[in-house]
């Protein structure tokens, strides 16, 4: 599958809009794809069918990505929130590391399941007979070396190349060690034979029909969306550093095309790699030609150097993968999410626990569902704010945010912080009446005058539908029964046009619609028995 670092980068170099992004196989997508494929076929016993399903999934991953770009539906990937992505990536990283315990510990009989319970059961059931101490020494030593190199590069940005070259050094040294000391004869598993040269066409290996076509589509859609999310995020991040634009839809078409072509040339899903892109950025690359150079180097490797890979120990590959994904567990980001938004933290933990304790696709599903739930909650239960006057001004602000703001006697001022649609119109009407009822009870206890006017600040409301208009008509009628007058302040162009079209503006009176809250208060105060002294004349 080394072709995934050869064909896709060539295609992207001519179609993509990012100057920095480096294309190739990445840990998260590789794990995701491998996990989903293993649910269908054993890679050791059913290698041919396993590869065919991988090519099929890659083809439909590309179709999904290209279709999103052509139909300009890229906004769909934004439904996976930042918090959900943090949790998903952390869970995927943990799952990747757990899967590497097979090579890290030298275990031969290892579970094909990916959840933490089954993996740990498999690990500890092999303690007495399955672990190989020579393998553990090699893996532990080089993992420590890789982590130290990453720490050095993190401490000193000028030494970024130390972390970049560390995996290559590890592979060379560990391979020499195994070859010179014949460690493979003592239970240290090695890569063995790797086919030389570029793989042939895989057009006839894709499941174009049959029962595995649907499974290939399902796996491809999931892997395609995750790969797309990662590539677009990486492209945008590095483009922002150099201040140049990224065409999201063009990126999707480029990524989709390269994966479609890749699936026909024995490649699996490729996407933007953060580590390789970082190396590109630090090395000062200015165009996508870097992907062409990388492809040519990979081609040279496939044609000439492949036989030298025979004695690479599996343990070093496990160490490299663990050191690569350990940074995906972003504890600081999780703590920050907890401090900022508890609902976001639930989404983050839901995705994390779903991936770790069940599977990658379940974690992704949980993340998307919780993100949708948050959107629905915010749409159906919008916030409303009680406004008060800032002393010495005609400015009205939320009294919870500005404790010095004071309420106007006899006038209740409420701001609606959302557009008004069928999904929230009744809630907003009931919420406004609840504000009125609760505050009137407080006024009675304090021996203060009752409310004669309700002013609704509509400045945040950018749209209203017919359900919202009916809710306002019901609100107006309910206020009339209470002998409370309704006034509206600062409705937007779309909102006022719909008020006029529905005759609601005529129902309450055009004179009851004001440019600002201050104007509305001034007009309403004139009808009270006594105008408050802090109001502007």
């Amino acid at each position: 599958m080394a072709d995934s670092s050869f064909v896709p980068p060539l295609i992207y170099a001519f179609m993509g809009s990012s100057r920095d992004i480096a294309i190739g196989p990445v840990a998260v997508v590789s794990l995701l794809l491998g996990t989903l494929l293993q649910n269908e076929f054993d890679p050791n016993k059913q290698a041919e069918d396993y590869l065919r399903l991988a090519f099929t999934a890659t083809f439909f991953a590309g179709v999904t990505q290209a279709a999103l770009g052509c139909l300009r539906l890229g906004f769909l990937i934004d439904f996976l929130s930042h918090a959900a992505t943090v949790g998903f990536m952390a869970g995927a990283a943990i799952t990747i590391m757990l899967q590497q315990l097979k090579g890290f510990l030298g275990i031969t009989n290892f579970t094909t399941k990916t959840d933490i319970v089954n993996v740990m059961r498999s690990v500890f059931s092999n303690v007495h007979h399955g672990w190989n101490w020579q393998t553990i020494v090699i893996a532990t030593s080089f993992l420590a070396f890789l982590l130290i190199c990453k720490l050095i590069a993190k401490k000193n940005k000028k030494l970024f190349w130390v972390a970049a070259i560390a995996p290559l050094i590890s592979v060379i040294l560990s391979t020499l060690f195994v070859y010179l000391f014949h460690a493979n004869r003592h239970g240290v598993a090695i890569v063995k034979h790797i086919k030389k040269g570029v793989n042939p066409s895989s057009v006839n290996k894709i499941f174009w029909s049959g029962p595995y076509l649907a499974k290939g589509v399902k796996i491809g859609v999931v892997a395609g969306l995750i790969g797309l999310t990662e590539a677009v995020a990486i492209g945008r991040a590095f483009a922002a550093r150099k201040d140049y634009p990224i065409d999201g839809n063009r990126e999707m078409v480029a990524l989709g095309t390269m994966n479609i072509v890749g699936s026909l040339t024995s490649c699996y899903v490729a996407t933007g790699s953060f580590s390789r892109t970082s190396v590109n950025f630090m090395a000062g690359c200015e165009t996508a030609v870097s992907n062409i150079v990388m492809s040519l180097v990979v081609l040279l490797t496939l044609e000439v150097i492949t036989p030298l890979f025979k004695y690479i120990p599996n343990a070093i590959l496990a160490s490299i993968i663990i050191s690569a994904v350990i940074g995906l567990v972003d504890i600081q980001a999780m703590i920050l999410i907890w401090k900022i938004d508890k609902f976001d933290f639930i989404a983050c933990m839901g995705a994390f626990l779903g991936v770790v304790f069940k599977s990658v696709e379940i974690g992704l599903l949980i993340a998307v569902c919780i993100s949708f739930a948050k959107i629905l909650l915010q749409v159906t239960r919008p916030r409303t704010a009680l406004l008060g006057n800032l002393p010495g001004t005609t400015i009205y602000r939320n009294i919870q945010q500005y404790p010095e703001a004071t309420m106007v006697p006899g006038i209740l001022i409420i701001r609606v912080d959302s557009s008004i649609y069928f999904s929230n119109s009744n809630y907003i009407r009931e919420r406004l009446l609840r504000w009125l009822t609760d505050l009137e009870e407080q006024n009675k206890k304090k021996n203060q005058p009752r409310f004669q006017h309700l002013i609704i600040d509509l400045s945040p409301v950018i749209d209203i539908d017919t359900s919202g208009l009916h809710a306002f008509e019901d609100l107006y009628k309910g206020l009339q029964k209470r002998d409370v007058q309704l006034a509206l302040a600062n409705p937007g162009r779309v909102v006022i046009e719909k008020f006029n079209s529905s005759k609601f503006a005529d129902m309450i009176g055009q004179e009851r619609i004001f440019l600002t809250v201050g104007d509305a208060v001034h007009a309403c105060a004139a009808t009270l028995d006594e105008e408050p002294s802090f109001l502007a004349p």
Side-chain angles (χ1 to χ4, degrees), residues 302-315:
L302 290 171
E303 294 291 348
V304 179
I305 311 176
T306 304
L308 300 178
F309 295 160
K310 179 180 178 179
Y311 288 99
I312 294 177
N314 291 339

Side-chain angles (χ1 to χ4, degrees), residues 39 48 116 193 208 211 234 256 298 308 335 343 409 441 451 458 468 473 478:
N39 292 336
E48 182 64 24
I116 189 171
H193 176 69
W208 298 111
I234 292 170
V298 170
L308 300 178
I335 294 173
F343 203 103
E441 290 180 359
F451 292 113
L458 297 175
E473 290 174 4

Side-chain angles (χ1 to χ4, degrees), residues 139 142-143 146 166-168 170-171 315-325:
F142 282 102
L143 177 60
L146 290 166
L168 178 60
S170 300
V171 168
I316 192 61
L317 301 179
S319 296
I320 290 172
I321 292 172
I322 291 172
S323 69
V325 301

